[in-house]
Amino acid sequence: MNVFYHLPGLFEFYDLYKAFLPLFREHREYFYEWSEIGSIYGAPSDCLWGGGRVGFGDAEPDEVAALMKEYGISARLTFSNSLLREEHLADKKCNDLCALFEKNGDVPSGIIVHSDLLLDYLKAKYPGFYFVSSTTKVLTDFTRFEAELNRDEFRYVVPDFRLNKQFAKLNALSAEQKQKVEFLCNECCWFGCLDRKNCYENVSRKNLGENCEDHVCASPNAQRGYRFSDAMKNPGFIGIGDIQDVYAPQGFRHFKIEGRSLGSAVILEFLLFYMVKSEFQLRVREEIYLDSTLDLF
């Protein structure tokens, strides 16, 4: 059974993917045979509908769309702002992005969404997209998560990472429900965090241009920032062994890698860890690092 990874930084890490995707196509022997790229997600900087992270991607949308079309990869626009109002729906930049990506080749594009107001607008105006229920909803209650899975509007639902190991309930889902679950693998957030929703809302306010204080994270290790080594110790972490031995045999196929606010070098380590056979990781790393057009840090 193939596993599909949903990768971060559609606009943020365009240059990295421009170097990585040719390797993925031309040297499939470097990669696990069962690994596929399900989508690449993100939003440009100053994107009103953006959420989850404050976007900083500055790649030209036309070039991004062309790259996704060339390699037959689904582009996902991250429009997970939770605080949108009716007047925000007319935003020209976001509507232009929808018009560009709605029919971008043979592989459908998607939109990650939080707001039902925005979802209804997009369904009516841009019916060519599929929709993903955002992890910014912080679905930590399994009953609410299952209700979200049962919504016909969504092709995929990303639960809060703290549901990742609730195997008794996860394995009791129907085969159809399992196909819609998209696990967030490498979250570094404190497992005991009670303020995650407020953190996401702070990002939504910033994307709306509101003048607000930065969210102060209460995590014991907040000052360290994101470290993959810390994420691996998180009780909700899903490693490659978990995917192969636990999740895939139970019928789960979709896994989201976070990292939109991180540097290209860290994203490359995620790609190596999750997709590249160990004996070829150095070769892929060298191919990327020796590309003089890339600024990996």
Side-chain angles (χ1 to χ4, degrees):
M1 175 185 289
N2 286 348
V3 160
F4 296 90
Y5 290 114
H6 302 275
L7 306 178
L10 180 63
F11 298 90
E12 297 92 334
F13 305 121
Y14 166 79
D15 289 333
L16 173 62
Y17 290 121
K18 192 175 180 181
F20 179 80
L21 293 178
L23 290 173
F24 185 69
R25 172 182 285 180
E26 297 164 14
H27 293 281
R28 279 295 279 155
E29 72 274 14
Y30 295 173
F31 299 84
Y32 294 113
E33 294 80 3
W34 44 264
S35 68
E36 299 287 350
I37 300 175
S39 72
I40 303 177
Y41 67 91
S45 57
D46 300 322
C47 193
L48 194 71
W49 296 353
R53 299 288 184 272
V54 176
F56 60 91
D58 56 2
E60 289 295 328
D62 288 345
E63 294 180 356
V64 172
L67 184 67
M68 296 301 101
K69 183 176 181 179
E70 178 183 357
Y71 286 93
I73 294 173
S74 178
R76 284 189 186 173
L77 300 172
T78 304
F79 287 161
S80 52
N81 195 306
S82 62
L83 302 176
L84 296 174
R85 300 184 296 274
E86 190 77 33
E87 62 266 28
H88 297 137
L89 300 180
D91 182 78
K92 185 177 186 305
K93 181 174 184 177
C94 295
N95 279 280
D96 286 347
L97 286 168
C98 289
L100 174 63
F101 282 93
E102 183 186 14
K103 299 176 181 177
N104 186 47
D106 296 330
V107 178
S109 297
I111 296 179
I112 303 171
V113 66
H114 182 130
S115 164
D116 279 347
L117 174 69
L118 179 61
L119 175 63
D120 290 342
Y121 173 80
L122 294 170
K123 284 168 53 184
K125 187 160 185 178
Y126 303 104
F129 287 107
Y130 67 86
F131 299 100
V132 182
S133 177
S134 174
T135 192
T136 62
K137 294 180 181 180
V138 193
L139 297 174
T140 56
D141 177 81
F142 203 92
T143 301
R144 286 186 58 221
F145 167 55
E146 191 166 4
E148 196 80 355
L149 287 173
N150 292 333
R151 292 181 63 177
D152 292 335
E153 302 99 315
F154 295 120
R155 183 179 295 187
Y156 306 105
V157 177
V158 186
D160 188 87
F161 70 103
R162 285 163 289 195
L163 294 186
N164 285 358
K165 301 297 177 72
Q166 293 198 14
F167 293 119
K169 293 179 180 179
L170 289 168
N171 291 336
L173 295 173
S174 69
E176 182 180 2
Q177 288 172 320
K178 288 179 179 181
Q179 291 303 303
K180 295 179 70 172
V181 180
E182 186 177 310
F183 292 101
L184 182 58
C185 294
N186 61 329
E187 178 57 65
C188 194
C189 182
W190 181 32
F191 197 81
C193 179
L194 299 176
D195 213 20
R196 193 166 170 85
K197 185 177 180 182
N198 288 334
C199 178
Y200 283 135
E201 287 187 356
N202 183 262
V203 173
S204 291
R205 295 185 191 282
K206 289 181 180 298
N207 284 332
L208 292 176
E210 296 183 12
N211 186 13
C212 56
E213 298 284 339
D214 289 339
H215 175 77
V216 179
C217 180
S219 167
N221 295 319
Q223 73 283 355
R224 289 168 60 87
Y226 185 96
R227 297 194 182 187
F228 197 20
S229 56
D230 288 342
M232 289 179 176
K233 300 173 188 175
N234 192 302
F237 179 74
I238 298 176
I240 190 168
D242 301 314
I243 291 171
Q244 291 177 292
D245 300 334
V246 179
Y247 291 88
Q250 290 294 333
F252 297 104
R253 303 179 67 191
H254 294 276
F255 299 88
K256 180 175 183 176
I257 311 300
E258 80 161 21
R260 289 170 57 206
S261 60
L262 306 177
S264 297
V266 180
I267 302 304
L268 176 59
E269 292 305 314
F270 297 160
L271 299 175
L272 294 168
F273 178 83
Y274 283 104
M275 300 182 68
V276 182
K277 297 174 184 176
S278 58
E279 64 267 31
F280 293 112
Q281 289 183 3
L282 179 58
R283 190 173 300 184
V284 172
R285 189 181 283 109
E286 286 176 336
E287 290 284 347
I288 299 296
Y289 273 65
L290 293 175
D291 188 328
S292 61
T293 67
L294 283 173
D295 179 9
L296 282 171
F297 298 95

